[in-house]
Structure formats: C-alpha cells, structure tokens
Amino acid sequence: MNAPEDTVKLIIAESERLTQYLTTLSPEAWRTPSACERWQVRDVVAHLAIETEVYTDVIARSVQGDAAPPAGRQWSGPTTAAAFAEDTAQRVLARRENLGDQVLANFLTANAQLHHLLASLGPADWDKPHYTPLGSAPLRHIPADRLLELVVHGWDIHSRLEPNAHLHLSGASVPVLVEETLRRVLRWRFHPGPRLPTPIRYRVALTGAGATEHDMVVTGDQASVAPGGTAVADVLLRCDPGTFVLLMLGRLPLSDALAQHRLVAEGAREQVSAFAQWFQGA
C-alpha cells in the first residue's frame, strides 16, 4: 500500500491539474454531458466538491475520536452500487442548482480546506477510525479513495471534451488507482449470478513499468481477488493499468477495449464475455 502521505501529494497534484483545466472551459463546455450518466460537466464538479466537504468533515472529527456519520447521513450498512449512485445523483443535482454559476468557486474552496487538513495529519492519525457508509475504517484509506475520485471524474470530463482523454490518467497516480480499484471491485462492481460447476480464474496481467498480475476467481455467486499465482488461469486479460482502472469502474466496456486493442484476451470466448457480465453488468 502506498504511504498515505505520498498519496496526499498525488491528490494535490491531480487537483491542481484538474483545476487548471476547468478554468479554461467555456460556459457551453460546463453544460456538456459528461461520461457520468445524467451528469453534465458542472454536475461532476459539484459532486467532487460535495465529497470533498464530506472528507473534510469526516477527517476533522476522526482525529478528535469521533467516527459517527456526518450530519444527514446514517450507518447505512450493506447497500447496492445502484442505490448508492441514485442517492448521490439526487444530492448532486440539487447542489448544482443551488450553486448556480459558483460551482467552480465552491470546488476550489472545498479543495483548499481539505488539502490544508490532510497536510496537518501526523503518523498517529492515519490509523484512527472514520465513518464510511459501510462502517468505520482507518483514515489511511481516505487518500487513495480521494485520488481515485479525482482522476476518474477528471477523465469523465476530459473524455467528452477531448478525443484522447484516457491519456490523462497520470502515470504517477495509476499504481495507487489500481490498488484502490482492486479493493473496491468485489463490493461495488461484482454482479453475482448462479453458482458455477467449476470456478473461472481470470488472470489480469498489467503491462508497463512495475508490471503486476492479479487473479480474479469467480464462482458465479461470489468472487475473490489475489496476487497472480502459479495456478493455471482459464482466461488471461492483458492491458495497461490505466485501461484496467477504466474497465473495472465501468468507464470502458470490455467490447470497446477489445475492439480498440487496448485489451488482449486469451481464453474461451464465452468466459471472456462472462467477465463483462460479472464485473460490468453488461
């Protein structure tokens, strides 16, 4: 796991990169549909500001020993990605309407407050518990979570305003994004089905500097993720880390990744196609 202090530096760099880009956008661009369903560019930025405020509140209370939910939120326990997304969408649209033309200003203010707070944290703070919708967790998970949101939502904006937006997945941040994506995948991205007679082992081979392999084993009703091992894989999926992040977060359909030669798959066609059903709901 990347040290949280190092991830904070990446957060600040990605925030500055996104801010510089946002300041160049025309009023028409702010109203352009993003890669997030139902959201325009201004909605994506409003969402980032809302989550920034939540992080700031959660962290500030955590360092004081308070891991209770923020005002207006409850311990929701297990939920589905669809239900969580619907609730988030409603809150974002309401906030954007309320902000009017102050969406960017609100984002900048929220970022400055969060960055100041993150920079003030010491080694003893990172293991303190904080609130999440699924229960408490150590603060050390927050930087990677925030970094993932910044980079992927930045891609949601770039991908509709520029033709080669996938290049904006920063090389320095991508290893952290891969780790965070793997941590999330079973909770948010897996779509269970009938139990299989025999599990299917997908080996994901990430190319480039620091190449790694990860095994994703599907039994139909469950899935597990582990470092690539010596067991024989049924399907080999080979791609660069940035493509993997977009694939697993539903930004890049498996069929498009294959057609664009951003992903190479070796194995039975039906098992390759099943990967999209389990992890993309396709």
Side-chain angles (χ1 to χ4, degrees):
M1 175 181 289
N2 206 50
E5 296 88 350
D6 293 335
T7 305
V8 168
K9 296 176 183 178
L10 295 174
I11 289 172
I12 294 173
E14 293 290 355
S15 294
E16 291 176 350
R17 184 178 294 108
L18 179 58
T19 295
Q20 291 173 3
Y21 181 70
L22 293 175
T23 58
T24 69
L25 299 184
S26 66
E28 293 75 18
W30 280 87
R31 290 172 171 77
T32 300
S34 75
C36 289
E37 186 178 357
R38 298 168 53 187
W39 285 1
Q40 299 175 353
V41 167
R42 56 183 178 167
D43 298 322
V44 176
V45 179
H47 166 65
L48 285 171
I50 289 174
E51 293 307 305
T52 303
E53 293 167 358
V54 171
Y55 284 134
T56 300
D57 177 65
V58 164
I59 294 170
R61 289 187 298 103
S62 174
V63 297
Q64 298 299 321
D66 181 2
R73 298 198 180 191
Q74 300 177 351
W75 294 110
S76 59
T79 186
T80 65
F84 187 81
E86 179 60 28
D87 177 69
T88 299
Q90 292 178 5
R91 289 188 289 110
V92 166
L93 295 176
R95 168 65 74 89
R96 187 259 288 169
E97 285 293 328
N98 184 58
L99 285 172
D101 61 359
Q102 296 301 306
V103 171
L104 179 58
N106 180 241
F107 172 70
L108 297 178
T109 299
N111 264 354
Q113 293 172 344
L114 177 60
H115 295 171
H116 177 76
L117 179 58
L118 287 171
S120 72
L121 299 181
D125 292 319
W126 295 113
D127 288 324
K128 293 180 179 178
H130 73 91
Y131 161 84
T132 80
L134 303 178
S136 63
L139 276 180
R140 65 176 57 256
H141 290 303
I142 280 186
D145 192 55
R146 174 60 177 174
L147 183 66
L148 184 68
E149 284 199 351
L150 273 173
V151 176
V152 173
H153 283 313
W155 183 89
D156 290 332
I157 294 170
H158 283 289
S159 66
R160 293 299 182 266
L161 299 176
E162 297 183 23
N164 296 313
H166 66 275
L167 298 177
H168 290 274
L169 289 183
S170 170
S173 297
V174 165
V176 182
L177 304 185
V178 169
E179 186 175 329
E180 180 66 8
T181 298
L182 287 168
R183 190 174 73 86
R184 286 186 177 197
V185 67
L186 300 183
R187 180 65 190 87
W188 294 111
R189 301 306 305 175
F190 181 64
H191 300 266
R195 190 168 183 82
L196 301 173
T198 304
I200 300 176
R201 181 178 297 271
Y202 294 93
R203 179 155 297 148
V204 179
L206 301 182
T207 60
T212 58
E213 291 188 348
H214 307 273
D215 282 1
M216 306 174 72
V217 181
V218 177
T219 62
D221 56 343
Q222 295 181 0
S224 61
V225 177
T230 58
V232 176
D234 300 290
V235 175
L236 175 65
L237 302 174
R238 183 179 290 109
C239 62
D240 66 82
T243 293
F244 174 73
V245 171
L246 295 176
L247 186 73
M248 297 311 299
L249 295 184
R251 266 54 178 193
L252 178 64
L254 180 72
S255 57
D256 289 356
L258 291 168
Q260 296 167 15
H261 305 292
R262 296 176 63 178
L263 173 73
V264 175
E266 299 175 11
R269 179 177 299 179
E270 62 272 16
Q271 292 181 336
V272 173
S273 299
F275 185 88
Q277 297 172 10
W278 281 311
F279 294 104
Q280 295 190 319

